[in-house]
Amino acid sequence: MDIRQIRHFVSVAEELHFGRAAERLGMTQPPLSQSIQALEAELGLPLFERTRRSVALTPVAREWLPHARRVLQEAGDLPQVAQRLSRGEIGTVRLSFISFVSYSFLPELVSRFKARFPEVELVLSEATSDVQIAELLDGTLDAGIVITPPRGALHSPLRYRPVEKDRLVVAVPEEWVISGRVRPRGGKLDFAALRDLPVILFPRHGAPVLHDLVTRYYAERGAAPLPGQQAMQMQTIINLVSGGLGVAFVPSTMRRMVRPGVAYFRLAGVQPEIEIGFAWREAGAGAALQHLADIVAEMFPAQ
């Protein structure tokens, strides 16, 4: 079965006359009759009830006609669809992100993209940076918002654009502040106030940059973080802090996540800093993905 045969069927079904259908199609009647017979043979059922005076649709053909019309309509739209895909007006972009940017610039990025390209499906997923990079490399992800990985972790097929930097703050159980276990000064915490407190950390295999940044902060002060509960999701870490299980070093944007029982403080002195960036695989990227990259560049011009 091909599109030509479907067009022949629809013409005869609408005209209910082989001669008029053939004229409409710009062909003679015998090839049209042969085409319909071949289609019926392929389907294994009759489509028309023929007499010398009339042609009528079989019950199956009446039900099949709307489907055939839809196929013809979609086939007619194919050239336009290809053009719109090439311009990035329709299509799909798979974007993943580290959890805490949902409290930062992600909503604005999504809003700008959808306002300009409402017919592009933007599929969002949350994942750690290492998972995103692996998915970018194997082609199951189009773009990712990641914490800048160690030098060399972004392989050559990937492009990367720095987006913003964020300092770490300390999330502390509010009860510890009330009880005096933690004593901030001027809204900040000295390292001495943290040295002997349990720290809730990302496991290193899931977030090596954040993990190493915290452990390096302690090592540079001649100490090591007192191990506490580990967790993969930033929201989970904040909830564990609320439960009094320890303190946590988190990006400052997490202060927008208001959680009862949690207080946020800046660090006195040097404040550890992370860089967040937009990573994508440029080779073979469609126009819709390029539009997303352009909006990121617009929101965060190169310094």
Side-chain angles (χ1 to χ4, degrees):
M1 183 189 312
D2 56 35
I3 198 72
R4 176 184 56 85
Q5 289 176 302
I6 296 174
R7 186 174 292 109
H8 291 172
F9 162 72
V10 170
S11 294
V12 176
E14 291 177 348
E15 297 291 343
L16 292 178
H17 191 284
F18 276 82
R20 289 195 299 268
E23 183 178 352
R24 169 176 159 182
L25 291 165
M27 60 189 300
T28 59
Q29 184 172 334
L32 176 59
S33 297
Q34 293 169 7
S35 176
I36 295 297
Q37 290 169 1
L39 179 60
E40 291 175 322
E42 182 175 348
L43 294 174
L45 51 88
L47 295 172
F48 298 99
E49 296 172 349
R50 306 169 179 82
T51 68
R52 290 187 177 183
R53 295 186 176 183
S54 67
V55 175
L57 288 166
T58 64
V60 170
R62 280 196 298 271
E63 296 291 334
W64 197 49
L65 179 57
H67 298 279
R69 284 176 173 146
R70 186 162 56 248
V71 169
L72 291 182
Q73 177 64 48
E74 291 175 353
D77 291 342
L78 281 176
Q80 182 185 11
V81 169
Q83 291 298 319
R84 297 191 70 198
L85 283 168
S86 72
R87 295 192 297 265
E89 297 172 359
I90 57 174
T92 301
V93 176
R94 300 162 298 178
L95 172 66
S96 195
F97 58 93
I98 44 179
S99 61
F100 59 86
V101 297
S102 60
Y103 297 93
S104 180
F105 62 86
L106 180 68
E108 182 182 355
L109 173 62
V110 173
S111 178
R112 288 195 189 193
F113 184 81
K114 295 304 292 183
R116 296 184 196 179
F117 306 99
E119 294 184 69
V120 176
E121 182 183 11
L122 189 59
V123 180
L124 299 175
S125 61
E126 182 181 317
T128 55
S129 299
D130 60 323
V131 170
Q132 291 187 55
I133 291 170
E135 291 181 346
L136 285 168
L137 290 171
D138 68 21
T140 58
L141 185 66
D142 297 313
I145 299 171
V146 300
I147 297 173
T148 304
R151 187 178 299 276
L154 277 173
H155 302 269
S156 57
L158 303 184
R159 290 286 305 280
Y160 174 80
R161 182 182 185 88
V163 169
E164 67 178 12
K165 293 185 178 181
D166 198 352
R167 290 187 173 94
L168 298 188
V169 298
V170 184
V172 179
E174 198 168 47
E175 180 58 35
W176 291 10
V177 180
I178 296 171
S179 67
R181 185 177 180 182
V182 174
R183 298 179 183 274
R185 296 181 181 179
K188 297 181 180 180
L189 284 174
D190 294 319
F191 177 71
L194 299 169
R195 180 189 296 269
D196 299 322
L197 299 177
V199 179
I200 302 169
L201 272 176
F202 277 101
R204 191 179 188 283
H205 68 84
V209 175
L210 273 174
H211 186 280
D212 291 352
L213 197 59
V214 174
T215 55
R216 189 182 310 119
Y217 174 78
Y218 276 78
E220 289 171 349
R221 290 155 182 78
L226 183 65
Q229 178 65 48
Q230 291 191 340
M232 285 295 294
Q233 299 299 323
M234 195 67 72
Q235 293 91 334
T236 302
I237 288 177
I238 296 299
N239 288 333
L240 293 174
V241 172
S242 175
L245 295 177
V247 301
F249 291 75
V250 299
S252 65
T253 53
M254 289 304 296
R255 289 181 295 187
R256 297 173 186 171
M257 181 184 175
V258 179
R259 179 71 167 85
V262 178
Y264 297 95
F265 297 98
R266 289 186 295 165
L267 288 163
V270 177
Q271 300 174 46
E273 189 176 69
I274 57 173
E275 182 180 274
I276 300 148
F278 181 76
W280 74 106
R281 187 166 185 157
E282 190 174 49
L289 174 56
Q290 187 57 54
H291 292 326
L292 181 63
D294 291 343
I295 292 175
V296 171
E298 174 187 295
M299 290 176 60
F300 303 98
Q303 301 298 319

